Amino acid sequence: MAYETGQVGSNSALKDAMMLFAEANGWRIQGDSLSKGVNHVSLTLADPDQVVIAGANSADFSVDPCPQKARIWLPSSAWPATYHLFAHESPDLMLCVVNYSVSRHQWIAFGNIQKYGAWEGGNWFAASHCMAAKSTNGFYFTPTQAGEGQYRAGYWRSPAAPFWNTRNTDSYSNGFQHYRASFLHCRVDGNIWPGANANNTIWPSFPQYAHPIQMRQPNSWSQQSVMTPMWLWLPRSDGYISLLGHLEHWRSLRLNYYNAGDILTLGGERWKVFPWWEKDIQSPNGSYGSSAGSRLSTGTFGFAVRYDGP
């Protein structure tokens, strides 16, 4: 377990900080690519405002490159920003959280899930923004789904949280867009990266099945929230649903009584708390507005990550 924080003034500097931190924690660097075990991702600058993550099953990206990518999208007005870097093993997790404009956050992550059962795959990558979003602040987030085009064309929005997206078409035109921003290598039922292609009808998901747990938080008597494992379920070709595993070292958490940066101590472990994008106690279940420029937030939905910093 390792932790680092600091300030940067550009996406280029942020990418460099991530690469150096990853290398110091056992990841092999080749150009823009990072590899460790079966994990292979790349971090590139699409332009000065975006760090884009891609994934594959080989360091040179010649084997099974994922058809889609994800990104963090931070314009010049966001800088300087504070970053928080976390590295974990068994299974591997690399997570970068960026705090900017006082109360806003974006994140980028990659590693292995904690697998249940015997199936090929388990490496994954994700970030706050999908590749179809039209606004750096554009998120569509509810307790059961996120990341889709709503109301009218041109205002496509990102999911903000990992494996939260439930569709790959927009509700305006029903056309395919790259709304997902979380991708898992999972060779089940003929898939490689389920949900990454236009013709995919199944994909790993967390919120629909964990919805009853999350909506009952925090406890009305104790005002405590339960840190919920981010399980990944996959609908199967036979009509059943398989529980694939969970994202280890971080947990979903309702933040009604917590703030960004709070540290929770549970037994011998400490956890650091962040919102998925921006906390909004007035709209605890998230707010996505009805047009570009409307109030957007991820409510009191957020996460806690294992932490060994000061």
Side-chain angles (χ1 to χ4, degrees):
M1 188 188 313
Y3 171 76
E4 177 183 303
T5 188
Q7 275 203 338
V8 287
S10 68
N11 277 301
S12 177
L14 177 64
K15 179 202 164 191
D16 289 345
M18 284 191 282
M19 300 286 277
L20 288 171
F21 182 74
E23 187 173 34
N25 285 280
W27 291 76
R28 183 165 54 92
I29 309 299
Q30 291 180 291
D32 292 325
S33 297
L34 303 90
S35 297
K36 188 178 182 183
V38 298
N39 293 293
H40 307 284
V41 299
S42 69
L43 298 175
T44 57
L45 295 175
D47 57 43
D49 292 345
Q50 303 175 60
V51 179
V52 176
I53 185 169
N57 288 326
S58 65
D60 63 1
F61 273 61
S62 64
V63 178
D64 302 326
C66 182
Q68 289 195 39
K69 302 175 183 179
R71 60 184 169 172
I72 51 176
W73 191 356
L74 295 165
S76 58
S77 59
W79 309 106
T82 300
Y83 67 83
H84 303 268
L85 291 167
F86 303 85
H88 292 276
E89 295 182 325
S90 301
D92 287 311
L93 169 69
M94 276 285 302
L95 170 65
C96 175
V97 182
V98 185
N99 173 210
Y100 63 101
S101 300
V102 182
S103 60
R104 293 177 176 176
H105 299 75
Q106 291 186 43
W107 56 271
I108 191 166
F110 49 93
N112 289 330
I113 72 167
Q114 184 65 58
K115 292 169 58 174
Y116 305 158
W119 50 272
E120 185 179 352
N123 46 308
W124 65 279
F125 68 95
S128 293
H129 271 287
C130 65
M131 299 304 291
K134 298 293 185 180
S135 167
T136 55
N137 294 334
F139 293 103
Y140 173 86
F141 184 92
T142 74
T144 57
Q145 64 177 356
E148 60 177 313
Q150 285 288 310
Y151 302 102
R152 50 191 170 135
Y155 298 127
W156 301 314
R157 293 172 180 161
S158 291
F163 297 98
W164 217 277
N165 186 285
T166 58
R167 57 187 295 159
N168 61 358
T169 57
D170 69 64
S171 56
Y172 177 82
S173 66
N174 204 38
F176 172 73
Q177 294 289 343
H178 294 295
Y179 291 127
R180 298 201 184 93
S182 306
F183 305 101
L184 172 70
H185 173 218
C186 175
R187 293 181 181 269
V188 174
D189 294 339
N191 294 291
I192 300 177
W193 299 89
N197 293 307
N199 60 351
N200 283 148
T201 57
I202 63 171
W203 47 84
S205 183
F206 165 67
Q208 302 114 298
Y209 308 105
H211 174 257
I213 298 174
Q214 303 218 93
M215 294 306 291
R216 287 171 171 81
Q217 306 297 326
N219 184 290
S220 58
W221 176 71
S222 67
Q223 300 182 343
Q224 297 297 304
S225 295
V226 174
M227 292 196 298
T228 307
M230 288 186 277
W231 299 290
L232 298 184
W233 283 270
L234 183 73
R236 302 296 300 275
S237 57
D238 58 9
Y240 290 92
I241 299 171
S242 291
L243 180 56
L244 300 175
H246 68 269
L247 304 181
E248 185 58 287
H249 309 303
W250 55 338
R251 301 285 188 267
S252 180
L253 181 69
R254 296 301 297 263
L255 306 183
N256 297 57
Y257 301 105
Y258 302 121
N259 294 309
D262 282 354
I263 298 171
L264 310 182
T265 300
L266 296 175
E269 294 184 332
R270 293 190 301 158
W271 301 73
K272 199 171 183 70
V273 172
F274 299 96
W276 285 123
W277 180 52
E278 185 172 33
K279 179 180 174 180
D280 181 3
I281 195 66
Q282 301 303 316
S283 301
N285 292 329
S287 176
Y288 50 87
S290 59
S291 64
S294 296
R295 171 66 179 170
L296 304 167
S297 80
T298 48
T300 61
F301 284 84
F303 63 95
V305 56
R306 282 195 179 99
Y307 166 77
D308 71 345

